[in-house]
């Protein structure tokens, strides 16, 4: 499981730096264009999912090393990754709202 977490962490894209993509959006007409507003919101949402997923994998590795206690979220992440499913914490927030795309397998989600 630890090695699988390493493999997944290596395949994550780099973080989106808000100043960089905002500058690019401004070059395409700025936030006065409705489609650019949508693009801006989607990049923010994607960055949130990347950060949340990356942090979940890091916490999972810390719990495997015995550095932190296993929580219910970490336990469900371990179970889901073992079964090649997307962990629920990566697709839904605590209120049950969808925060990322839904895919049947972890490979398709990546």
């Amino acid at each position: 499981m630890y090695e699988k977490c390493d493999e997944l962490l290596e395949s994550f894209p780099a973080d989106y730096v808000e100043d960089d993509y905002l500058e690019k959006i401004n070059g395409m007409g700025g936030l006065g264009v409705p489609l650019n507003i949508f693009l801006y919101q989607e990049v923010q949402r994607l960055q949130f999912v990347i950060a949340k997923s990356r942090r979940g994998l890091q916490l999972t590795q810390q719990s495997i090393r015995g550095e932190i206690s296993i929580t219910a979220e970490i336990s469900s992440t371990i179970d889901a990754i073992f079964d090649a499913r997307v962990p629920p914490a990566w697709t839904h927030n605590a209120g049950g709202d969808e925060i990322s795309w839904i895919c049947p397998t972890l490979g398709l989600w990546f």
Side-chain angles (χ1 to χ4, degrees):
M1 181 56 62
Y2 190 89
E3 292 163 358
K4 183 63 177 178
C5 288
D6 266 343
E7 178 187 324
L8 294 173
L9 283 168
E10 289 175 6
S11 64
F12 270 99
D15 286 334
Y16 289 94
V17 178
E18 187 167 344
D19 292 337
D20 292 344
Y21 64 81
L22 191 53
E23 182 180 316
K24 291 178 183 177
I25 288 173
N26 285 333
M28 298 184 306
L31 294 176
V33 178
L35 193 56
N36 288 348
I37 294 171
F38 174 77
L39 175 62
Y40 180 69
Q41 291 170 337
E42 286 299 305
V43 174
Q44 286 179 321
R45 180 177 172 193
L46 179 60
Q47 177 54 41
F48 175 76
V49 172
I50 289 170
K52 184 170 180 60
S53 304
R54 182 180 289 128
R55 184 70 182 140
L57 289 171
Q58 292 167 341
L59 289 173
T60 299
Q61 287 184 318
Q62 288 176 342
S63 68
I64 291 170
R65 288 191 304 261
E67 296 172 358
I68 61 172
S69 298
I70 294 179
T71 63
E73 185 174 315
I74 293 172
S75 179
S76 69
T77 298
I78 290 171
D79 290 342
I81 291 172
F82 183 80
D83 294 336
R85 292 180 291 115
V86 182
W90 298 3
T91 58
H92 294 83
N93 65 14
D97 298 328
E98 184 180 319
I99 59 170
S100 82
W101 45 100
I102 305 295
C103 289
T105 67
L106 189 58
L108 290 174
W109 187 85
F110 261 90

